[in-house]
Amino acid sequence: MSKRVAVITGGAGDLAHALAPALEKDGLEVHAPGRDLLNVTSPESVRAFFRELGTVDLLVNNAGMRADALCAQMTEAAWDAVMSANLRGAFLCSQVVGLTMMRQRSGHIINIGSFSARYGTSGQSNYAAAKAGLIGLTQTMARELGKRSVRVNCVLPGFLETKFTETMTGENKESARQMHELGKFNTVDDAARFIAFLDTMSAVSGQVFQLDSRVSPWT
């Protein structure tokens, strides 16, 4: 039998680097394209990439970016760029792949979210709004695709010490750590193991999984 095919967007990121071997260990054929191969903000790039690839059994919408600033000081360009990379990109990829999965009558889409969607982190109005929208996209697509046996879930991997957060000051990182009831962060390997495990759970869809010890204001 042919291997199941997985695509991880944002393939240059640390989480993608940890997730790819975890999925390969489970027997998947993994593609983790960077922006040069798959620009998720470009409909043309998205259509061309997935048309050439053909079958997709697992899509992990991992591509994203930050451009932090207080809302009053945020530029429209910063707002648009973050919304495009984090939310529009996930929509574009999920729309194309979702059609393929519906024809297959199988498949799984996992969106990589953020605790900012629940907490409304100061200085991240664009990022928080995009990630909150990603939860709405997850739950809506889970309803729309479920009758064709396609699953859609969202994982909030927690604060990960990666290239994505390396520009944050030590003070800000420590402040984030203090929000965790256990006083420690996950690692990318922790998050990757959970995502790989979630993919094996054939009866789970439309759910949001938070992988740290911060207590959210709503569940």
Side-chain angles (χ1 to χ4, degrees):
M1 295 180 63
S2 59
K3 290 185 176 182
R4 294 175 66 232
V5 175
V7 174
I8 309 169
T9 69
D14 293 325
L15 179 56
H17 286 172
L19 179 56
L23 294 175
E24 288 170 347
K25 184 178 179 181
D26 285 345
L28 280 79
E29 174 187 320
V30 179
H31 301 262
R35 184 182 175 88
D36 56 332
L37 295 178
L38 174 58
N39 178 358
V40 300
T41 68
S42 165
E44 295 76 18
S45 177
V46 170
R47 286 194 292 266
F49 178 86
F50 287 108
R51 182 171 56 246
E52 181 176 348
L53 189 61
T55 298
V56 178
D57 301 287
L58 170 64
L59 169 65
V60 181
N61 283 312
N62 173 63
M65 64 168 290
R66 290 175 27 243
D68 298 350
L70 294 175
C71 192
Q73 300 169 344
M74 184 172 294
T75 65
E76 292 180 13
W79 174 273
D80 290 343
V82 170
M83 293 296 287
S84 183
N86 292 283
L87 181 56
R88 186 171 185 265
F91 159 71
L92 291 173
C93 292
S94 297
Q95 184 182 50
V96 171
V97 172
L99 290 171
T100 299
M101 290 179 173
M102 283 194 293
R103 288 192 292 268
Q104 297 170 177
R105 291 187 174 270
S106 67
H108 193 188
I109 298 171
I110 299 178
N111 295 315
I112 303 301
S114 171
F115 183 74
S116 291
R118 292 183 159 181
Y119 186 72
T121 306
S122 178
Q124 290 190 332
S125 59
N126 49 4
Y127 187 72
K131 292 300 189 180
L134 201 58
I135 292 175
L137 178 67
T138 296
Q139 295 178 329
T140 296
M141 292 196 72
R143 290 180 185 274
E144 293 178 354
L145 305 185
K147 290 180 175 58
R148 297 294 184 97
S149 299
V150 178
R151 296 170 287 149
V152 188
N153 289 293
C154 185
V155 174
L156 318 185
F159 189 104
L160 303 177
E161 295 189 278
T162 65
K163 289 179 288 189
F164 194 73
T165 58
E166 67 183 2
T167 58
M168 295 180 64
T169 66
E171 181 181 359
N172 285 341
K173 288 182 180 180
E174 184 56 31
S175 178
R177 192 188 307 275
Q178 292 304 316
M179 294 177 64
H180 291 66
E181 299 303 318
L182 298 178
K184 58 184 178 181
F185 299 141
N186 281 336
T187 67
V188 289
D189 291 328
D190 293 331
R193 281 196 300 272
F194 180 88
I195 294 167
F197 174 70
L198 175 61
D199 185 51
T200 69
M201 302 184 70
S202 62
V204 177
S205 188
Q207 304 306 308
V208 180
F209 298 92
Q210 181 180 320
L211 308 186
D212 61 31
S213 63
R214 288 175 289 188
V215 179
S216 60
W218 56 270
T219 58

